[in-house]
Amino acid sequence: MSSRTALVTGSSGLIGSEMVAFLDRSGWRVHGIDNNMRRDFFGEAGDTTWNLERLRAATSRFEHHDADVRDRRLMAELASEVRPDLIVHCAAQPSHDLAATRPFDDFEVNAGGTLNLLEAARHACPDSPFVFLSTNKVYGDAPNELRLVELETRYDYADPELREGIDETCRIDATMHSLFGASKAAADLVVQEYGRYFGMPTVCFRGGCLTGRNQSGAELHGFLAYLARAIRAGRTYRIYGYKGKQVRDNIHSYDVCTAIMAYAANPRPAAVYNLGGGRANSVSLLEAVDRFEELCGRRLKTEYVDEPRRGDHICYITDLRRFRRDYPDWELTVGLDELFAELAGAGELARSAATRGPL
Ligand SMILES: NC(=O)c1ccc[n+]([C@@H]2O[C@H](COP(=O)([O-])OP(=O)(O)OC[C@H]3O[C@@H](n4cnc5c(N)ncnc54)[C@H](O)[C@@H]3O)[C@@H](O)[C@H]2O)c1
């Protein structure tokens, strides 16, 4: 068992909490930073207190800090006290849509908070891997320029060469990002710069839809988790544009953790990887509704809003080949069936960090 120490920000959120549980089970000492700002962003549905309590009960070497990543001095102090062997930075304002109503909070958390942590790391632990959870929204709506075909229940790429999806060479400028995509792109570039300029082992994982049962799904963030919640609660779900045929690829938070650990074991400075579920884990909104209805045995009430969200991707499938090339032992372990079962609460099939052993 390792006795190394990690610092995880956003530790009460979906990825952060999965990471804490994963590291704790693997023998790491973990310091988590989270101020429950998700509640402030999304209201009651975004409250992460339950997840923090769950973590406290399930872990043995986890210490929580109710701290704000915007607090530059505190981040520097914490990093120099803890001198972590690994930093996993997950704290964020994560919603595309919400950013427009909270532009300063969005930028200060996403871009400013990331810079605070990078500087803290550069002074306290420049050789420790620094993992940043970036997003495919750094590509803005550039993927929407691709030629698409409309199938019965989804869109797909017309060009067979795009079968594997979008890779890291997609441009990130001259495209509409939403303010969220812009603040994350700013952070993504700064993380790369600390890798290139200072030679630090930094990585940006540009996520597709990251999901799992520990997500405090809200209408403005957490596509599948919120959909599952709506169907269970008999709530009306709004579909915004594209006839509900927009496609997302989904990756379980557990598989995100194993990717992070693969990188941490063999880091490369200034790395950038797309990380998602790939074609096998892709699903359109209409298909997702069908699957949940079948699993839950009830119909979802939907309302169609004939206007897509601004900058929303029509069809986004993650090309995983760069990451797979550099980390050939990593694999996706949670397929769509299991993911849906977990979110629908369909017991036996469901797995989560709490039930998985360390790798
Ligand atoms: N979930 C997805 O589909 C997805 C997709 C692509 C990228 N990402 C990125 O992955 C990361 C993790 O996403 P997630 O789904 O776990 O989000 P999440 O909202 O579940 O977790 C983020 C956590 O950060 C905390 N937080 C917010 N502002 C903070 C602040 N100022 N100080 C301290 N803590 C703060 C929140 O309270 C929350 O618990 C984010 O950077 C997000 O942009 C997520």
Side-chain angles (χ1 to χ4, degrees):
M1 279 265 168
S2 152
S3 60
R4 285 174 294 167
T5 303
L7 186 65
V8 177
T9 73
S11 49
S12 307
L14 169 71
I15 301 302
S17 66
E18 186 94 48
M19 201 66 233
V20 169
F22 187 101
L23 288 163
D24 183 82
R25 280 198 317 273
S26 311
W28 288 62
R29 194 169 290 284
V30 189
H31 290 264
I33 294 175
D34 202 302
N35 63 352
N36 199 17
M37 199 162 175
R38 189 174 171 92
R39 187 181 198 290
D40 179 54
F41 289 139
F42 304 116
E44 203 57 45
D47 193 340
T48 57
T49 312
W50 65 275
N51 205 18
L52 172 59
E53 293 313 319
R54 182 189 67 80
L55 269 187
R56 281 191 163 130
T59 54
S60 45
R61 284 167 294 267
F62 166 56
E63 191 178 325
H64 176 71
H65 303 265
D66 183 359
D68 192 322
V69 296
R70 291 171 297 180
D71 188 334
R72 186 177 303 163
R73 182 180 299 186
L74 188 57
M75 291 306 109
E77 278 169 14
L78 260 172
S80 73
E81 240 168 68
V82 170
R83 295 203 178 271
D85 302 288
L86 166 67
I87 295 181
V88 184
H89 176 35
C90 310
Q93 187 301 103
S95 164
H96 191 78
D97 300 295
L98 188 79
T101 62
R102 309 266 302 254
F104 289 107
D105 289 339
D106 177 80
F107 201 84
E108 284 161 11
V109 172
N110 290 353
T114 301
L115 183 57
N116 290 343
L117 283 151
L118 283 164
E119 261 307 276
R122 184 165 78 88
H123 290 287
C125 52
D127 298 327
S128 302
F130 186 103
V131 177
F132 173 60
L133 272 293
S134 184
T135 168
N136 61 19
K137 293 291 191 300
V138 302
Y139 301 125
D141 60 2
N144 290 356
E145 293 162 11
L146 297 167
R147 257 186 336 112
L148 299 174
V149 284
E150 184 178 344
L151 306 176
E152 203 183 326
T153 58
R154 63 157 74 191
Y155 287 102
D156 204 343
Y157 305 120
D159 182 351
E161 289 198 359
L162 279 168
R163 210 186 138 67
E164 296 292 332
I166 311 287
D167 71 18
E168 295 81 356
T169 62
C170 182
R171 77 172 193 281
I172 71 163
D173 68 345
T175 162
M176 185 163 72
H177 292 87
S178 81
L179 292 182
F180 160 75
S183 65
K184 293 292 280 192
D188 183 302
L189 287 177
V190 181
V191 169
Q192 290 186 54
E193 207 55 38
Y194 272 67
R196 288 215 170 77
Y197 195 92
F198 295 119
M200 284 167 57
T202 67
V203 62
C204 298
F205 281 115
R206 295 177 173 166
C209 282
L210 320 180
T211 194
R213 70 150 72 111
N214 297 326
Q215 186 163 46
S216 307
E219 183 175 12
L220 293 183
H221 184 246
F223 155 56
L224 286 183
Y226 182 74
L227 187 52
R229 228 185 219 204
I231 196 163
R232 283 202 307 261
R235 223 179 281 145
T236 302
Y237 184 89
R238 275 191 289 264
I239 296 175
Y240 292 92
Y242 303 134
K243 305 179 199 165
K245 294 186 179 184
Q246 52 272 59
V247 172
R248 304 280 176 269
D249 69 339
N250 304 279
I251 180 169
H252 192 278
S253 43
Y254 176 84
D255 288 333
V256 175
C257 290
T258 58
I260 290 172
M261 295 313 284
Y263 174 82
N266 185 15
R268 299 150 197 262
V272 173
Y273 298 110
N274 287 350
L275 185 66
R279 178 166 289 274
N281 276 11
S282 70
V283 72
S284 76
L285 194 42
L286 290 182
E287 292 162 359
V289 170
D290 267 2
R291 274 175 172 257
F292 277 130
E293 286 185 335
E294 199 170 310
L295 277 165
C296 298
R298 61 164 83 166
R299 305 277 299 170
L300 174 72
K301 286 181 244 160
T302 55
E303 179 191 325
Y304 186 69
V305 182
D306 199 10
E307 194 176 340
R309 293 186 148 120
R310 299 196 74 193
D312 201 20
H313 289 149
I314 309 172
C315 179
Y316 192 94
I317 295 176
T318 303
D319 184 339
L320 285 160
R321 283 178 295 183
R322 183 190 284 186
F323 188 69
R324 286 194 158 127
R325 182 200 66 205
D326 288 354
Y327 299 94
D329 292 338
W330 176 81
E331 54 185 8
L332 276 173
T333 66
V334 187
L336 264 195
D337 289 345
E338 197 181 354
L339 237 164
F340 271 86
E342 174 168 322
L343 291 171
E348 278 150 50
L349 267 174
R351 287 196 276 165
S352 79
T355 53
R356 285 165 193 260
L359 290 186

